[in-house]
Amino acid sequence: MEINILGPVSINTPHSGGGIRAGKVRTLVATLAIDAGRAVSLADLVDELWGATPPDNVLNALQAHAARARKVINERACPERADCVLRSVLGGYLLEIDPQRVDGNRFLRLVSQGASLLPADPSRAVELLESGLRLWRGPALIDAGEGRRCRGAAALFEERRLTALEDLVSAMFLLGGEAQAIAMLQQLVAQYPLRERFCELLMVGLYRVGRQGDALESYHLARKRLDEELGVQPGALLRRRHAEILAQDPVLKVPSALWREPYAPVDTSLLTA
């Protein structure tokens, strides 16, 4: 059994699968999947499902939703052996499932591994990063409600997705795929105009293939957007890249201009901290 949260919440097995129709049940499954293998307290679940306006009989209501969630899981589990169990534990509920059966955790593991291989093995880094990014089916936890835990996890997943894209284009440059990397970065800059790292990589990439004028134009467009939308100037790193391009600094040609320090393996407890 696999639980998918990188998009609409769904439960899939070799025998059946699909979304969860009932909103509160869907939120409950998503919240427990974020913390797969760890108990979530009743108080946290109540807060996630109802926020500041819980019903009068909130524990009975939570128990009823848990029973419905358990039924959905059991209906989709392998008929011969259910390998995923929603358990009631002291003070809360536990989704007893290998965390790697949740697509969000697989994504975090793959992109962390990919980042750790830059710059030593960019080819393998590309494989891992692309494998992680292919798990996405839309905005993470898009139909899991507006609770603090699900929204916080969704924000973390989205940030790691964008960081993985940064790592991916860096690895593509290192492998000599300048044209493909630049095309991807142009799309990303258009989609995320306020994310300076995409602009920085685009500037460096354009400069490295002899398009100094286009690199400078990318900087000026970024500066204009930041000023118009946020009222701020580009960050120190983007300004430094601009100065390096104007000076035709040799540092822009060395591989280290294309990557950042790899981040540490993800502690999934951060999802609900």
Side-chain angles (χ1 to χ4, degrees):
M1 173 176 289
E2 295 184 352
I3 298 180
N4 301 316
I5 58 177
L6 298 180
V9 178
S10 64
I11 301 173
N12 294 301
T13 74
H15 306 274
S16 64
I20 301 170
R21 295 182 61 183
K24 295 296 186 188
V25 174
R26 188 167 59 243
T27 298
L28 178 61
V29 171
T31 304
L32 293 170
I34 291 169
D35 253 325
R38 294 192 294 262
V40 181
S41 72
L42 296 174
D44 284 342
L45 291 171
V46 167
D47 181 64
E48 194 70 17
L49 269 65
W50 291 283
T53 57
D56 292 336
N57 57 344
V58 65
L59 293 182
N60 287 338
L62 179 59
Q63 186 178 36
H65 289 311
R68 295 173 69 189
R70 188 177 292 111
K71 180 180 178 182
V72 170
I73 291 170
N74 290 342
E75 286 175 348
R76 298 182 186 178
C78 173
E80 294 81 14
R81 177 181 179 273
D83 60 356
C84 173
V85 179
L86 195 164
R87 297 190 184 281
S88 173
V89 296
L90 182 63
Y93 284 92
L94 164 70
L95 189 61
E96 194 171 54
I97 184 175
D98 181 350
Q100 290 303 306
R101 290 181 176 266
V102 179
D103 63 351
N105 289 326
R106 293 200 305 280
F107 163 75
L108 293 175
R109 174 177 56 82
L110 287 166
V111 298
S112 292
Q113 290 174 344
S116 71
L117 292 175
L118 282 173
D121 190 352
S123 179
R124 179 59 177 157
V126 166
E127 293 177 8
L128 290 166
L129 291 163
E130 288 183 336
S131 294
L133 289 165
R134 279 196 297 269
L135 294 172
W136 283 74
R137 299 165 297 106
L141 295 154
I142 188 172
D143 58 352
E146 298 301 320
R148 177 182 59 87
R149 296 170 78 92
C150 284
R151 289 308 96 208
L156 181 146
F157 285 128
E158 177 63 10
E159 176 60 28
R160 284 300 170 91
R161 185 182 73 87
L162 296 177
T163 302
L165 288 167
E166 295 167 359
D167 292 333
L168 178 59
V169 293
S170 297
M172 291 164 62
F173 276 124
L174 292 173
L175 291 171
E178 289 90 353
Q180 184 182 1
I182 288 171
M184 182 180 296
L185 281 167
Q186 287 171 329
Q187 292 179 344
L188 290 168
V189 167
Q191 189 174 1
Y192 303 98
L194 303 181
R195 192 170 180 91
E196 295 188 31
R197 176 64 173 158
F198 286 144
C199 182
E200 179 210 344
L201 285 169
L202 179 59
M203 289 166 58
V204 174
L206 289 168
Y207 179 82
R208 288 165 70 99
V209 297
R211 296 170 60 182
Q212 180 175 341
D214 291 337
L216 293 171
E217 179 64 17
S218 295
Y219 174 81
H220 292 307
L221 287 174
R223 184 177 63 180
K224 180 180 178 181
R225 291 190 189 103
L226 288 166
D227 180 51
E228 291 177 348
E229 298 193 31
L230 299 179
V232 300
Q233 292 298 305
L237 183 54
L238 203 59
R239 296 198 305 271
R240 190 179 82 192
R241 292 300 189 210
H242 178 244
E244 290 169 348
I245 291 171
L246 287 173
Q248 299 184 352
D249 195 320
V251 73
L252 294 167
K253 294 287 189 178
V254 301
S256 61
L258 293 167
W259 71 78
R260 56 184 174 77
E261 290 298 319
Y263 46 76
V266 173
D267 178 359
T268 55
S269 66
L270 294 176
L271 293 173
T272 56

